[in-house]
Amino acid sequence: MKKRKLSSPDLKHGRVEERQYSSGSAKRCISMECPADALLSSEQSTINSMAEMCTYCFDVLECQLHNRAEPARPSFTDDPYPLFVTWTVTSSKRLRGCIGNFTAVPLHAGLRDCAKKSAFKDSRFSPIGADELQGLTVTVSLLENFQLARGYLDWTIGAHGIAITFINERGASCSATFLPNVATEQGWDRTKTIDSLLRKGGYRARITPQVRNSIELTRYTAQKWHMSYEEYRQRSAREQESSRNEKQNDDGMKRFRC
């Protein structure tokens, strides 16, 4: 279980759910900034909370795959965040699903919905099956520090994710995003990243300097945590053991009071 600050999920092509990102309100959504009181308050709080978020995503997936009731309400903050949930194959880091939302949503519902949609509704992949569960890793990314850039090169590879809006060759408004580590993983410079993002967003004509300069670009950072299924089971076992010990202690105190 590892924490990486200000980086993206382990994927090559982050996807934002179209109905949430490609709507007419996309520009307004990606330009917002999270309120200061929504940020996790300390380093240890961040570590504990994000590990719990990954655990919750696995809880949601297990319940869905085995037709069980939804997991109990989690204990971590329900503050609103833009977020992504990513599923990858642990052994190969192959992407199995990634869906997120640039609109700040309450974490409990946002993680639950994105965990399900990234597992079962990412149109690039077949739905995740129960036989795959033990070989998966989940990544939770909380997006923050949204800033409108001064130009298409006004961002830093490895530190920033980027979201662009542009007018395609047919006159339609389009949008696309790459999470912070995509350019690094692909070995791209900033211009190549922009050109690839234009193609991802549906631009099919020749890409010229004029096209690049017409882009509106928003940069952002991310807090990221990932957890394998094995780590999830180990954490769940520790929590169950802790709960049993607490119950035994409580029972002992009750007998003592009597």
Side-chain angles (χ1 to χ4, degrees), residues 61 65-66 96 120 126-136 229:
L61 184 60
L65 287 171
H66 298 297
R96 281 298 280 118
F120 306 118
S126 59
I128 288 174
D131 59 331
E132 299 179 76
L133 184 59
Q134 295 184 17
L136 292 178
Y229 183 78

Side-chain angles (χ1 to χ4, degrees), residues 68-247:
R68 298 200 296 259
E70 293 282 358
R73 180 182 175 89
S75 60
F76 55 79
T77 178
D78 198 27
D79 288 336
Y81 272 89
L83 61 91
F84 274 80
V85 174
T86 304
W87 299 101
T88 54
V89 177
T90 303
S91 59
S92 64
K93 301 191 187 305
R94 179 171 60 89
L95 181 63
R96 281 298 280 118
C98 179
I99 285 180
N101 197 334
F102 276 101
T103 304
V105 294
L107 278 173
H108 297 174
L111 288 170
R112 181 181 65 244
D113 293 346
C114 287
K116 291 180 184 178
K117 290 173 182 175
S118 57
F120 306 118
K121 300 295 185 182
D122 189 330
S123 60
R124 298 169 296 172
F125 306 99
S126 59
I128 288 174
D131 59 331
E132 299 179 76
L133 184 59
Q134 295 184 17
L136 292 178
T137 289
V138 67
T139 301
V140 171
S141 296
L142 304 184
L143 312 185
E144 57 191 10
N145 301 323
F146 289 82
Q147 297 176 322
L148 187 63
R150 292 169 293 181
Y152 73 91
L153 296 177
D154 185 24
W155 58 282
T156 302
I157 290 176
H160 292 121
I162 56 174
I164 64 171
T165 57
F166 60 93
I167 304 300
N168 70 9
E169 68 277 11
R170 297 183 300 276
S173 178
C174 299
S175 57
T177 190
F178 279 147
L179 292 162
N181 258 19
V182 173
T184 302
E185 291 170 357
Q186 298 296 328
W188 293 335
D189 61 19
R190 286 178 296 174
T191 299
K192 176 61 176 176
T193 303
I194 292 297
D195 290 356
S196 298
L197 193 51
L198 282 164
R199 295 302 186 204
K200 179 187 176 185
Y203 193 84
R204 298 293 176 256
R206 179 170 172 264
I207 298 174
T208 65
Q210 182 180 4
V211 170
R212 297 186 189 105
N213 284 318
S214 70
I215 291 169
E216 183 175 279
L217 184 146
T218 298
R219 65 191 186 197
Y220 57 89
T221 59
Q223 296 184 67
K224 171 188 168 183
W225 190 280
H226 65 93
M227 179 183 287
S228 69
Y229 183 78
E230 180 180 357
E231 291 165 336
Y232 161 70
R233 296 305 301 168
Q234 291 172 352
R235 181 181 174 89
S236 297
R238 289 194 301 269
E239 290 176 348
Q240 291 171 6
E241 179 66 21
S242 177
S243 295
R244 284 194 295 269
N245 291 338
E246 288 180 5
K247 185 176 186 304

